[in-house]
Amino acid sequence: MNNLLNNGLAAAMLLAAAAGASAPAQAGATIDAIRQRGEVVCGVSTGIGGFSIADSSGQWTGLTTDFCRAVSAAVLGDAAKEKFVPLSPQQRFTALQSGEVDMLTTVATWTLTRDASLGLLYAGVYFYDGQGFLVPKSLDLKGALDLDGASICTATGTTSELNLADYFRANGKKFTPVVFESQNEARAAFFSGRCQAFSADMSYLSSVRASDAPNPDEWVILPEMISKEPLGPVVGRNDLEWYTVAKWTLMALIEAEEKGITQANVDQMKDSQDPTIQRLLGTSGDMGEKLGLDAGWAYRAIKRGGNYGEIFERNVGPKTPLRMERNANALWTQGGQMYALPVR
Amino acid sequence: MRLAGGWSDPAFRAVATQAMVLALVAGIIAFLAINLIGNLEERSIRTGFGFLWQASGFEIGQSFIAYSASSTFAKALLVGLLNTLVVAILGIVLSTIVGTIVGVASLSRNPLVKPLATTYVELVRNVPLLLQLYVWYAVLTQMLPAASAAPQLLPGLYLAKSGLHFPILHSGAGLVFGALIAGAAAALAYVAWSRRRADLTGAPALLWPRAVLLLGPAIAALLFLAASTPFDVPEPTRFGFSGGGLVTPELTALLIGLSLYNSAFIAEILRAGIMSVSRSQSEAAASLGLSRAHTLRLVIMPQALKVAVPPLASQYLNLAKNTSLAIAIGYPDLMSIGNTIINQTGQAIEVIAILMAVYLTMSLSISAFMNWYNARVALVGMK
């Protein structure tokens, strides 16, 4: 038995070590590797309408995949290409740690544990999300605390189990979790009536109500947001130059919205006399060089898919089936939290 | 051993090659372990098992021991292990019962029973287990009534989408358990005594005194408790029921799916075992005047089991390991809770090592038991 046990452990180590061995080890190596390869490899969540979902022709659309395209355009120029690797919540960090993907543009929440102890870094926040509840309208619930004693369907591989327990414990209420491996199964069980509520990130609940509910008007999302779920791009901790590029591409997209630079007018904006716009679009200064890129990095990122606001409206905004308002994701000048650090 | 012979000496060659292979394997393992530790350190990934003693922070839907979000990760794993064991043990018992019935039925001469059994086996064992689990779970959750419209089958007994709610006793589990152990001891004593008597007088050992001795004390204890202590009866609430005992649809679907799937294989194994006994054996038994029941029990079965037990053991192992499919339909088994812990702590290597060790221990225990049983039936067969 001891021998078998040891063999099992050794096998686990073998797998993990083999995975680790192929990863780039030197700082700055990621960008070199991407240039050599000619494409950025992004890990994405699967099947979340508006955030990352593949259409019938295999084309990925969504807010997070558009961010990957922006980074790709900034690094690779006009020949930018991206490869999207769909990852389950259990696979995603391992895939990044092992170097299988360059960057995660998933819907993974930024937490201290993940940032500090998994050998990776969050490069910013592209969507301020929070956990909520989807319930049948017929239950006539006023708020989440009315769910005392209810069964709640949720999926593992997210922080949702922890948030649920914290929220109900803090308010002295009880609930029974029914935890599934995949969101699909949790969702199906909820719609079959096994649970009174389905708990997941608001973004996902909106997506589910839009595309999976038998009749979207019979379901409501309760007003309470029981957790903070900032979603952002994640890169490996071993390459700070690559981390800086990802972070500042996000800043550039937000700054572009603030300055009114859009996909359509970015070419005219190159003639702008505003020094901030000039620095951003590379007509003056050497911002791109400092990042290890060329002067046109931000221009190309904006040209590819528009500024942050355009990406939001196109994928998840009020005119899409997801019907999401900007709220926390509005610019800081409009009461939201999207605030670009100064490009100078 | 003559060392002088060197490589031309076969004994020396055998030892030397084995030592070299062993050294090579040890070297590879050591290299990988060092590589792993180095990689983890370089990426500043936290390692170690200290996290087991921190508060888990998540709730579990079904638990046989007191557990809450403030319990430790280690306790959460224990809850998962117990949930897994319950399904594995009940699954083994149920699949054996169903498998035996179907196996015997498939040998029947009845023109209706035989094709029915064959159809069952072919249908059940040729559809993937995961798919069957989904079907059973969907059937249960779709067909059962909503909690608000749940019928009361008996006083305090409700069947709803949330599961089967039933009254339980507030206390006295220890007393019932004690009575069960006392009953088992009494039944064993009766078996030993009746064997001696059979050797002396030829009077056969009877089945019913064993059953009475085994279950009698436990039933008496239950009746005593039922009369003397109040029941915890499930009470309808806004969303379902509070209090009482509960069998969830997840547990039921998993148990039905696992048991039926494995029963088809067990039926085939038993059929093969029985078919392996030469027909002349039953003819000989008949000519000695043994009844059909005696022939089956005393002549056919001992020889059939000799063939059937080893494949039966691997079928049980299969069932025990397949309990890890539970997570697909929301049953909080060891694998499901391990997954949650990996996600909370990010310490995948440690948790997976623990899970592997636990599943290995479980499988090896089943294996050891079946080997013991095999040795026993094999000896009986040779007598």
Side-chain angles (χ1 to χ4, degrees):
Chain A
M1 144 136 201
N2 251 329
N3 267 332
L4 281 168
L5 195 71
N6 286 337
N7 286 344
L9 279 173
M13 290 177 174
L14 189 152
L15 285 175
S22 64
Q26 284 157 16
T30 312
I31 296 173
D32 290 343
I34 289 169
R35 285 192 174 132
Q36 206 156 38
R37 203 186 307 132
E39 64 178 9
V40 176
V41 183
C42 288
V44 292
S45 305
T46 53
I48 302 182
F51 288 84
S52 61
I53 191 164
D55 65 16
S56 50
S57 60
Q59 189 77 18
W60 285 86
T61 61
L63 185 143
T64 68
T65 49
D66 278 355
F67 177 72
C68 175
R69 289 196 178 93
V71 174
S72 167
V75 175
L76 288 173
D78 298 327
K81 274 196 299 186
E82 308 76 33
K83 189 169 119 192
F84 296 105
V85 180
L87 296 169
S88 75
Q90 288 88 353
Q91 295 169 319
R92 56 195 179 196
F93 295 124
T94 318
L96 180 64
Q97 286 162 353
S98 66
E100 192 193 322
V101 298
D102 300 317
M103 173 168 64
L104 292 180
T105 50
T106 54
V107 291
T109 304
W110 186 351
T111 66
L112 185 147
T113 307
R114 286 174 175 174
D115 210 23
S117 69
L118 296 186
L120 44 79
L121 282 172
Y122 274 76
V125 176
Y126 46 49
F127 192 86
Y128 288 98
D129 207 351
Q131 191 176 344
F133 299 92
L134 181 65
V135 297
K137 203 173 231 170
S138 59
L139 278 181
D140 195 26
L141 299 171
K142 297 279 170 288
L145 290 179
D146 285 355
L147 284 168
D148 192 15
S151 293
I152 299 177
C153 285
T154 188
T156 186
T158 55
T159 40
S160 39
E161 290 168 83
L162 202 67
N163 297 332
L164 274 179
D166 283 356
Y167 180 73
F168 279 82
R169 199 150 48 124
N171 289 290
K173 308 280 186 190
K174 280 198 179 330
F175 77 106
T176 308
V178 186
V179 182
F180 295 82
E181 183 180 26
S182 74
Q183 294 281 17
N184 290 353
E185 292 310 314
R187 191 177 72 201
F190 168 67
F191 283 126
S192 83
R194 171 65 181 90
C195 302
Q196 284 82 36
F198 176 36
S199 187
D201 290 351
M202 295 275 199
S203 57
Y204 184 68
L205 294 180
S206 307
S207 157
V208 163
R209 185 176 59 175
S211 50
D212 300 292
N215 176 0
D217 293 329
E218 282 173 20
W219 310 87
V220 287
I221 296 174
L222 294 178
E224 281 89 350
M225 212 182 235
I226 65 166
S227 71
K228 292 186 273 192
E229 307 285 348
L231 314 178
V234 195
V235 295
R237 191 173 268 265
N238 51 355
D239 188 344
L240 292 178
E241 279 161 35
W242 173 230
Y243 161 77
T244 312
V245 166
K247 178 166 68 180
W248 284 95
T249 305
L250 180 57
M251 293 305 156
L253 296 179
I254 299 170
E255 181 80 359
E257 185 183 9
E258 199 179 323
K259 288 288 173 189
I261 311 172
T262 64
Q263 192 174 19
N265 72 8
V266 64
D267 286 304
Q268 292 99 290
M269 281 291 184
K270 274 193 157 178
D271 307 327
S272 166
Q273 296 307 307
D274 184 334
T276 311
I277 296 178
Q278 287 184 347
R279 275 195 297 271
L280 185 65
L281 297 182
T283 46
S284 77
D286 58 350
M287 298 300 137
E289 222 166 280
K290 285 174 177 147
L291 289 172
L293 304 173
D294 62 354
W297 66 283
Y299 164 79
R300 288 192 305 267
I302 299 162
K303 185 79 183 164
R304 184 79 192 269
N307 63 39
Y308 177 78
E310 290 177 277
I311 293 177
F312 186 100
E313 298 296 333
R314 182 171 63 238
N315 291 301
V316 299
K319 288 183 194 136
T320 67
L322 273 76
R323 301 184 228 170
M324 297 190 96
E325 297 295 332
R326 288 292 291 266
N327 293 336
N329 296 298
L331 288 178
W332 64 289
T333 49
Q334 288 156 27
Q337 301 190 56
M338 283 297 165
Y339 178 99
L341 308 180
V343 178
R344 64 168 184 255
Chain B
M1 184 167 69
R2 284 185 306 119
L3 283 173
W7 277 109
S8 59
D9 179 357
F12 173 78
R13 219 160 50 218
V15 172
T17 38
Q18 285 184 37
M20 273 156 58
V21 170
L22 195 70
L24 192 66
V25 171
I28 290 173
I29 290 175
F31 168 74
L32 290 177
I34 291 167
N35 194 349
L36 169 71
I37 293 166
N39 270 326
L40 290 177
E41 265 174 18
E42 183 197 321
R43 284 149 199 277
S44 20
I45 298 172
R46 201 164 49 127
T47 52
F49 288 90
F51 72 93
L52 281 174
W53 312 115
Q54 293 160 7
S56 69
F58 60 91
E59 296 283 350
I60 299 176
Q62 174 191 313
S63 171
F64 292 100
I65 53 175
Y67 171 87
S68 75
S70 47
S71 306
T72 60
F73 282 116
K75 194 159 186 190
L77 280 173
L78 183 63
V79 169
L81 174 62
L82 289 176
N83 286 346
T84 291
L85 285 179
V86 164
V87 171
I89 292 168
L90 288 178
I92 285 176
V93 172
L94 276 178
S95 61
T96 308
I97 293 173
V98 178
T100 309
I101 295 171
V102 176
V104 171
S106 66
L107 289 169
S108 152
R109 293 193 195 108
N110 185 311
L112 191 64
V113 171
K114 187 182 158 71
L116 214 60
T118 317
T119 313
Y120 170 85
V121 167
E122 293 308 334
L123 200 69
V124 169
R125 73 170 178 171
N126 288 316
V127 176
L129 176 55
L130 186 61
L131 200 60
Q132 295 193 30
L133 290 178
Y134 283 141
V135 168
W136 283 113
Y137 188 60
V139 164
L140 283 176
T141 47
Q142 295 282 357
M143 304 235 308
L144 289 174
S148 50
Q152 184 162 192
L153 305 175
L154 290 168
L157 190 69
Y158 299 90
L159 188 61
K161 277 192 202 290
S162 53
L164 181 70
H165 296 264
F166 55 90
I168 51 166
L169 289 164
H170 270 302
S171 54
L175 182 66
V176 176
F177 191 63
L180 205 59
I181 289 181
L188 281 178
Y190 170 77
V191 170
W193 174 79
S194 65
R195 280 228 180 103
R196 269 202 311 280
R197 193 184 54 161
D199 284 346
L200 291 174
T201 68
L206 296 173
L207 201 57
W208 66 265
R210 295 182 217 178
V212 170
L213 286 171
L214 182 63
L215 298 176
I219 292 171
L222 274 177
L223 289 175
F224 167 73
L225 285 168
S228 61
T229 58
F231 277 92
D232 180 8
V233 183
E235 291 294 336
T237 62
R238 186 168 177 196
F239 299 119
F241 299 89
S242 67
L246 170 65
V247 181
T248 62
E250 289 81 33
L251 172 59
T252 316
L254 184 63
L255 203 52
I256 295 177
L258 277 177
S259 302
L260 294 191
Y261 181 73
N262 283 283
S263 74
F265 290 90
I266 290 175
E268 283 296 273
I269 290 169
L270 288 179
R271 192 172 70 92
I274 294 172
M275 300 269 281
S276 76
V277 182
S278 153
R279 181 176 288 263
S280 55
Q281 293 276 330
S282 39
E283 287 167 1
S287 68
L288 283 173
L290 287 178
S291 71
R292 285 199 66 163
H294 272 131
T295 307
L296 192 67
R297 195 158 70 85
L298 299 172
V299 179
I300 310 287
M301 270 319 205
Q303 301 180 69
L305 281 182
K306 214 166 61 171
V307 176
V309 167
L312 204 56
S314 41
Q315 205 52 47
Y316 288 164
L317 290 176
N318 246 335
L319 190 146
K321 284 177 292 179
N322 279 343
T323 55
S324 58
L325 291 174
I327 188 172
I329 55 167
Y331 181 75
D333 79 322
L334 184 62
M335 197 68 198
S336 155
I337 288 170
N339 254 333
T340 302
I341 296 178
I342 289 176
N343 206 58
Q344 308 282 330
T345 62
Q347 294 187 281
I349 294 175
E350 290 85 346
V351 176
I352 286 175
I354 293 175
L355 293 188
M356 289 203 309
V358 170
Y359 277 108
L360 204 60
T361 312
M362 197 165 87
S363 296
L364 290 175
S365 310
I366 295 175
S367 215
F369 173 80
M370 291 307 284
N371 283 343
W372 167 82
Y373 185 69
N374 191 29
R376 219 179 87 110
V377 293
L379 272 179
V380 171
M382 282 195 301
K383 250 184 207 170

